[in-house]
């Protein structure tokens, strides 16, 4: 990644926290890596460090108030447009909450709301404030919108506790800034097809055969691919997860509908990832009226196999990459390796669906990346992080 910051404009947003002085080191590190750095401070940050310090370090005016620069009547827009990347360090619970809710009541928050460039947040606060449900929910919302998070670290805090909440090391923040810049265009020009969620196979107009997929994994993939610059088509079964903005969504209900939507979208796609939990069987003859309890017997439900979407995409893929998932309850690696050969795709993400932190409906996943070269075990990751890990392997 070395050199990625060369000649790029990095906007460092400093908020009111004792770690504000460490932002000086961050400015220096980003400059050392080739960036032109501008600094924007919240009013509270100026209580911890004087803007003159940043002015001397950057040789640039320090942005402070919404109405401070008479030469630039819409300062927040010009700052947002000028920045190739924005890093909020240290980020307080307050600015994280504002970002999550879209509050725009000062120069810093309006600039962040107006920004279209990648944003990195490096939280620093008391450990209880960090672990508070509100902060964690706000962080989750930011991650879901593609904000990269660096830290926090563990160690001595200003309140005297030794716990989680410290600003993470400056090198880690700078590495994350470089990673954000690299990834924001890593899939530019790619058209990614993703299948997600369950399918519902009708028994009659009110009953169906379904499964526990929430759609979270596929939606996380769609979000991550969008954030990496791809054009995304998400073929989405009846899932709980909400489809992300900025992707083309094709809602479907049954395995047959998902099959036809996926094959049609694949005609224009450059790669495909099948994260959906597709029913393997469907009722042979769904009733066109509601089966009445006690009046009609249902001693036998005849099922017929559905078409295999992953297999059929792999059959026509040519040079294009196709990745499948495998929901495993036994030996994930061995079963997924067999699936890889059977389906004819390029890779399988095997996930262990027996664990409470992995598989259906969870926010995290324990997975293995499996190709003909072997199996790579990944740590337990949030579904957003796993999505990025998968896409990094496809660029
Ligand atoms: O949606 P979440 O709650 O976030 O849960 C995520 C998940 C557990 C559903 C996801 O991570 C996952 O494992 N998806 C695949 C589930 C599955 O059906 O696995 P499988 O081993 O039965 O199928 C293997 C592959 O074939 C999958 O890529 C599947 O999409 C595909 N397939 C299966 C049957 C079929 N008829 N067509 C298919 O394309």
């Amino acid at each position: 990644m070395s050199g990625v910051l060369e000649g790029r404009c990095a906007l460092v947003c400093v908020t009111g926290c004792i770690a504000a002085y460490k932002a000086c080191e961050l400015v220096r590190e980003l400059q050392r890596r080739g960036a032109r750095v501008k600094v924007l401070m919240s009013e509270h940050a100026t209580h911890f460090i004087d803007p003159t310090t940043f002015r001397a370090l950057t040789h640039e005016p320090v942005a402070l108030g919404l109405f401070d620069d008479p030469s630039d009547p819409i300062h927040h827009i010009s700052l947002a447009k000028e920045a190739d990347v924005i890093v909020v360090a240290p980020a307080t619970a307050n600015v994280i909450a504002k970002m999550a809710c879209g509050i725009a009541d000062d120069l810093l928050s309006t600039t962040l709301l107006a920004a279209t460039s990648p944003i990195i947040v490096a939280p620093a606060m008391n450990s209880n404030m960090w672990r508070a449900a509100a902060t964690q929910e706000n962080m989750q919302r930011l991650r879901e919108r593609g904000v990269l998070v660096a830290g926090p670290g563990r160690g001595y805090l200003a309140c005297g506790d030794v716990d989680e909440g410290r600003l993470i090391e400056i090198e880690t923040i700078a590495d994350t800034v470089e990673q954000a810049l690299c990834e924001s265009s890593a899939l530019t020009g790619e058209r990614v097809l993703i299948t997600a969620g369950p399918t519902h196979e009708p028994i009659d107009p009110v009953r169906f055969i379904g499964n526990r997929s929430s759609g979270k994994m596929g939606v996380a993939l769609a979000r991550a691919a969008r954030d990496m610059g791809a054009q995304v088509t998400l073929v989405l079964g009846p899932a709980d997860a909400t489809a992300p903005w900025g992707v083309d969504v094709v809602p479907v209900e049954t395995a047959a509908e998902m099959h036809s939507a996926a094959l049609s979208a694949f005609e224009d796609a450059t790669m495909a990832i099948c994260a959906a939990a597709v029913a393997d069987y469907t009722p042979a003859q769904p009733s066109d009226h509601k089966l009445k309890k006690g009046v009609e017997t249902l001693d036998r439900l005849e099922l017929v196999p559905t078409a295999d979407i992953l297999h059929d995409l792999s059959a026509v893929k040519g040079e294009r990459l196709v990745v499948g998932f495998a929901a495993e309850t036994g030996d994930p690696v061995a079963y997924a390796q067999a699936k890889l050969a059977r389906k004819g795709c390029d890779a399988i993400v095997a996930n262990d669906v027996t664990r409470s932190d992995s598989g259906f409906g969870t926010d995290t996943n324990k997975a293995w990346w499996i190709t003909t070269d072997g199996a790579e075990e990944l740590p337990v990751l949030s579904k957003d992080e796993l999505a990025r890990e998968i896409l990094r392997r496809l660029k």
Side-chain angles (χ1 to χ4, degrees), residues 14-97:
V14 186
T15 65
C17 164
I18 184 66
Y21 73 94
K22 295 185 185 170
C24 299
E25 289 299 325
L26 178 62
V27 167
R28 275 279 185 247
E29 182 59 22
L30 295 173
Q31 287 172 329
R32 199 185 62 72
R33 296 183 189 208
R36 176 180 152 237
V37 182
K38 295 191 75 155
V39 174
L40 166 51
M41 297 177 77
S42 71
E43 200 266 322
H44 287 169
T46 62
H47 291 267
F48 291 91
I49 183 162
D50 197 280
T52 318
T53 309
F54 289 117
R55 191 182 165 108
L57 287 172
T58 60
H59 298 193
E60 300 265 2
V62 175
L64 294 165
L66 259 176
F67 309 104
D68 281 356
D69 186 349
S71 67
D72 187 353
I74 38 178
H75 201 183
H76 57 299
I77 303 295
S78 44
L79 279 169
K81 278 191 179 155
E82 196 179 0
D84 295 305
V85 63
I86 299 179
V87 51
V88 189
T92 57
N94 182 48
V95 78
I96 288 166

Side-chain angles (χ1 to χ4, degrees), residues 195-198 211-219 239 241 255 258-259 273-281 305-313 323-328 339 342-343 348-351 353 358-363 365 383 386:
T195 70
N211 61 66
R212 298 178 196 282
S213 169
S214 63
K216 285 179 185 174
M217 189 64 242
V219 163
M258 188 175 276
H259 183 267
I273 308 175
C274 294
V278 189
D280 290 318
Y281 294 92
T306 56
D308 191 319
I309 303 164
L310 176 59
H311 175 274
D312 293 354
L313 293 177
V323 176
F325 269 69
E328 299 299 350
K339 223 165 248 179
R342 209 166 54 242
K343 305 257 186 180
I348 289 267
V349 182
N351 42 194
V353 296
S358 179
F360 293 92
T362 54
D363 290 325
N365 228 353
K383 285 184 174 168
L386 177 59

Side-chain angles (χ1 to χ4, degrees), residues 97-155:
K98 281 188 182 182
M99 290 172 76
C101 297
I103 293 173
D105 62 354
D106 60 9
L107 183 60
L108 196 142
S109 52
T110 43
T111 303
L112 288 170
L113 195 61
T116 53
S117 46
I119 298 179
I120 298 92
V121 161
M125 66 196 76
N126 164 271
S127 48
N128 289 339
M129 292 172 77
W130 169 246
R131 281 195 282 265
T135 305
Q136 289 304 312
E137 281 167 25
N138 290 333
M139 288 303 301
Q140 181 59 20
R141 283 163 84 176
L142 295 188
R143 284 192 191 95
E144 287 176 2
R145 291 186 205 144
V147 170
L148 287 192
V149 180
R154 216 188 135 73

